[in-house]
Amino acid sequence: MLKKFINFCLCMLIIASYAGANEFELKNVDPDFMGTYIQVGFDEVLKKTMSFDKAYYSNVGNYPILMLHENICYSNSGFHDGFAVKSSDFKKWNFIKRGEQRIIVDEFGVSHKRISRDWKDGYDILEAYIINVIFQDAVHLNNISIDGDKVWIDGEVFRIDLGINFCEGENVSLWLIGSQERYALSIEGIAGKLYNCKKGRWAMMVEKADTVYKTIPYFYWNDKNYPNVRSRSLSKDEYRFIRNLVYAKHGYIFKSEDLKNIFEKFDWYKPDSSYNDSMLSSEEKRLIKNVQEEEKEKN
């Protein structure tokens, strides 16, 4: 990240030497709007698809990220080449307050939402934001943890790779870099799979390989929207997991050793000897019924 920041600063110096610093100097910036921003459309696609790839290719535009300071606003091209926003363009922007949220509408009519008041560490903030969205459910597993812009899986650290212009692969949620190796994370059903990568057709191209480096069986089951869990097109084992997930949420003590081993991996699972079915809400009972019907179709 230090190297990225140094390259960013060098780029700013080159721009300033050719164009003159005043072209990028901002005036009358409201201090209440300083910070790091991402496109609203990018954020919506990211959360809907759980895929940085799909969000990237649908919304990058002119300003994929904004880092607004008191007299300058940094951005880039596709998370690659840094530049400063021209003051003439900045004058066309609109600034909107919605409670605690701050929105900037740029000269192209694209909306950007603030994700942090910090602007200096904008890239790190964005990387941490994306990882938290993608790993929002998996982080409840005892073998996965998030540390800022990095994620630990089974004791191995991975960081997000925003530079995906030379990466190819279908159904990729996130490109990650481990110990000198790049991996493609795919969400398949409620499982997450880290695929190995291989050299592509061109010198700088990287492709998702067919081999799986690591599997996370219960990566994504939509904890945020529980109990309205989407349960279509899952495997028989995944249906069984979702159905028993409802009981596990209330501390049901499982007799089946495999189910016991599964749910003990989650930080929220608290065995409760006083469990009874009256603890289930009507929404949870409906979820169980829907899953049972879909399970029958698999038999």
Side-chain angles (χ1 to χ4, degrees):
M1 190 51 61
L2 178 60
K3 183 178 179 181
K4 185 187 293 185
F5 183 74
I6 292 172
N7 289 337
F8 189 89
C9 292
L10 288 174
C11 185
M12 293 301 100
L13 290 173
I14 293 171
I15 291 173
S17 65
Y18 282 96
N22 289 338
E23 187 177 358
F24 305 97
E25 184 179 356
L26 309 181
K27 298 185 189 238
N28 303 318
V29 176
D30 185 342
D32 194 33
F33 280 87
M34 293 179 191
T36 297
Y37 292 73
I38 60 171
Q39 290 179 12
V40 171
F42 171 91
D43 188 49
E44 290 173 347
V45 175
L46 177 69
K47 290 177 178 176
K48 181 179 179 181
T49 65
M50 302 297 288
S51 170
F52 172 66
D53 251 29
K54 291 177 181 176
Y56 176 92
Y57 286 116
S58 64
N59 284 284
V60 169
N62 286 61
Y63 308 118
I65 183 174
L66 295 173
M67 292 167 280
L68 178 61
H69 192 34
E70 58 188 2
N71 60 358
I72 196 165
C73 184
Y74 297 126
S75 188
N76 59 29
S77 298
F79 304 112
H80 281 89
D81 303 319
F83 63 87
V85 176
K86 291 183 178 181
S87 55
S88 57
D89 292 330
F90 183 80
K91 291 177 182 178
K92 304 171 187 175
W93 291 8
N94 291 312
F95 300 84
I96 303 168
K97 295 182 181 182
R98 293 177 182 166
E100 294 298 316
Q101 185 59 270
R102 298 294 177 266
I103 304 289
I104 293 176
V105 182
D106 64 30
E107 71 269 30
F108 303 101
V110 177
S111 297
H112 307 257
K113 60 178 282 188
R114 185 167 69 184
I115 58 174
S116 173
R117 292 178 180 273
D118 178 8
W119 70 273
K120 291 183 179 179
D121 300 314
Y123 286 106
D124 291 344
I125 290 164
L126 176 62
E127 290 172 354
Y129 183 87
I130 293 169
I131 284 178
N132 273 277
V133 170
I134 302 296
F135 283 83
Q136 61 182 281
D137 297 332
V139 76
H140 291 294
L141 290 162
N142 57 21
N143 65 324
I144 296 177
S145 62
I146 293 173
D147 180 16
D149 58 348
K150 300 178 181 64
V151 58
W152 291 81
I153 307 173
D154 296 325
E156 184 176 358
V157 65
F158 298 87
R159 60 182 177 85
I160 185 175
D161 182 9
L162 294 183
I164 65 173
N165 292 59
F166 301 101
C167 298
E168 288 189 340
E170 294 184 3
N171 300 319
V172 175
S173 177
L174 200 61
W175 296 90
L176 296 169
I177 298 177
S179 53
Q180 309 303 316
E181 298 290 337
R182 184 183 276 103
Y183 302 95
L185 173 67
S186 291
I187 299 175
E188 302 173 11
I190 61 172
K193 292 184 179 180
L194 271 183
Y195 284 86
N196 295 101
C197 290
K198 61 183 180 181
K199 289 190 69 174
R201 292 165 292 173
W202 312 105
M204 298 180 66
M205 294 296 293
V206 174
E207 294 181 2
K208 172 185 169 185
D210 295 327
T211 55
V212 177
Y213 174 69
K214 191 182 294 290
T215 298
I216 308 165
Y218 312 107
F219 182 87
Y220 177 63
W221 45 272
N222 209 346
D223 180 56
K224 186 177 181 180
N225 295 325
Y226 176 86
N228 299 311
V229 178
R230 292 173 295 180
S231 59
R232 292 286 179 183
S233 303
L234 301 180
S235 68
K236 188 175 179 180
D237 287 341
E238 287 174 325
Y239 280 127
R240 182 172 179 246
F241 167 77
I242 293 292
R243 176 166 49 83
N244 285 283
L245 166 69
V246 180
Y247 299 105
K249 281 285 188 177
H250 295 277
Y252 180 86
I253 299 175
F254 296 96
K255 297 180 178 65
S256 299
E257 200 64 29
D258 63 330
L259 289 173
K260 181 180 177 182
N261 290 335
I262 287 171
F263 290 108
E264 283 180 345
K265 294 177 181 177
F266 291 92
D267 58 13
W268 49 258
Y269 178 61
K270 309 296 180 187
D272 183 1
S273 58
S274 65
Y275 168 85
N276 63 75
D277 287 352
S278 65
M279 296 177 176
L280 303 180
S281 68
S282 58
E283 290 83 3
E284 289 173 322
K285 290 176 181 177
R286 184 174 64 249
L287 172 59
I288 292 173
K289 183 180 178 181
N290 291 341
V291 170
Q292 286 174 330
E293 290 174 355
E294 291 167 11
E295 272 186 293
K296 288 177 183 177
E297 295 179 8
K298 292 288 182 179
N299 293 330

